[in-house]
Amino acid sequence: MTKSDKVLIFDTTLRDGEQSPGASLNMQEKLQAARQLAELGVDVIEAGFPVSSPGDFEAVRRIAKEVKGPEICGLSRAVKGDIDACWNAVKPAKKPRIHTFIATSDLHIERKLKMTRSQVLERAVEAVRYAKKFTNNVEFSAEDAVRSDFGYLCQVVEAVIDAGATTVNIPDTVGYAIPLEYGDMIRRLIQRVPNVHKAVISVHCHNDLGLAVANSLAAVAAGARQVECTVNGIGERAGNASLEELVMALKTRRDLFGIGTGIRTQEIAKASRLVSKLTGMVVQPNKAIVGTNAFAHSSGIHQDGVIKYRTTYEIMNPEDVGIEESTLLLTARSGRNGVNNRLKHLGYHISAKALEKLFEEFKALADKKKYVFDDDLIALVEEEGRSQTETYSLVYLNTSSGTGVVPTATIRVQKKDEVLQEAACGDGPVDAAYRAIDKITGVKPKLLDYTLRSVSSGKDAQGEVLVKVEHGGMIVSGKGTSTDIIEASAKAYLNALNKIAASSSRPSKAGTVKERI
Ligand code: KIV
Ligand code: ZN
């Protein structure tokens, strides 16, 4: 196997991660995420599945053109049309990669592909040979490898390496493997395939049994030198192996693995926040590495221990993943410079004009709250960013509710030069507000999910609402923040409706339903 002095991090947040329901990103969002992945130092960005839709093709092409540092990869089935589209999208990159795949388990071969083992083998070899005409950097994945006949899988791996694959991926597509078994499988495969030294062996684990990271680590211990993962572990169904968990496990237990990654771990928290913000997928508080409680000690004994000597209860330094103590620096008396410096410190560089606008918002917030925490400031910048691209923005909200009162809401919304107003009754003030918004926009999506959380601490904390709605087969998320939770709810709903409005104003992609793997 090609020797590597580090485990290569292949990030598929923008391909497998984006396949999470409701997580779809637009071009600007993908570019923003890809730039942060480059800051993080991932080795490969799988930027999308170019043949699946014109939007995906364009996003991969723009990332290939504009994002410097990592290899830029696109996914393609083992068919010429997919490989052509993939190459056309990734070719502007300095280091392009074509990733082609076909399933190798009998279940998939017979039931899904309606082919035979020998036809699949032939197709895999043809696809790799065809991709090699464009670039030397070709990855092959044996989809559902874990449930494939081991002898046949080894035969396919040997054949695709002979055809020129430089990376061969052995995915646990359905998250079925157990660490001991998966590690053993990778070890045996490396021993058995005679030309394995000519390629990097990669792993790609799904989290259906909650074992994606454990399985990937077992594979690294067995000799795999590329892991495929996503920020926050997002992805199809229960998700993919989480990048931050893998990287920090390899770093923290280097004594055991004897190998690390090239990741700039201090960028992890920022990447996690960005992916959560863009996809609307909230990170659970107890999530390892990036959850808000990951470094919080609540029991007295633990607090006492950490104060006396940090490592008594902390195996990692929060600063190593870019998490700092939230500092209560800003109040109503803070000036523009103080706000701008704090923003820069948090990684937000905004124009003088944007700062003026944001500073007004900050003052209004600081009048309502005693302290403006880092998280409040981040919520403000994000809210401001959202409002700039929106078709509808909230200008007025009045609700009345209470025991024995019929909940009602009056809403006024700005749509370009028009101000539209409607009132409605509902089951509660949020429902009434949503009904009034439905009347204004003429869109009546189905509310699939509603989450409310506090952005920072204290009774005066801002509320952040996340919604997921479905309209015409499309699932989108929306986010809104305010010290008033009904207002936050209305903003979140409008944010989702704005995404629906934006997508319906894009040119139609008739007949090109976005393919999901
Ligand atoms: O899970 C899987 O098998 C995949 C392949 C396309 C690599 O995502
Ligand atoms: Zn996958």
Side-chain angles (χ1 to χ4, degrees), residues 15-16 204 206 240:
R15 200 276 298 168
D16 224 339
H204 173 117
H206 280 268
N240 288 61

Side-chain angles (χ1 to χ4, degrees), residues 12 15-17 19 46 75 99 143 169 171-174 204-206 228 235-237 239-240 517:
T12 184
R15 200 276 298 168
D16 224 339
Q19 288 182 208
E46 185 166 53
L75 183 68
H99 179 189
E143 192 190 11
N169 186 31
D172 182 14
T173 304
V174 290
H204 173 117
C205 296
H206 280 268
E228 306 198 353
E236 195 72 91
R237 305 181 309 279
N240 288 61
I517 305 300

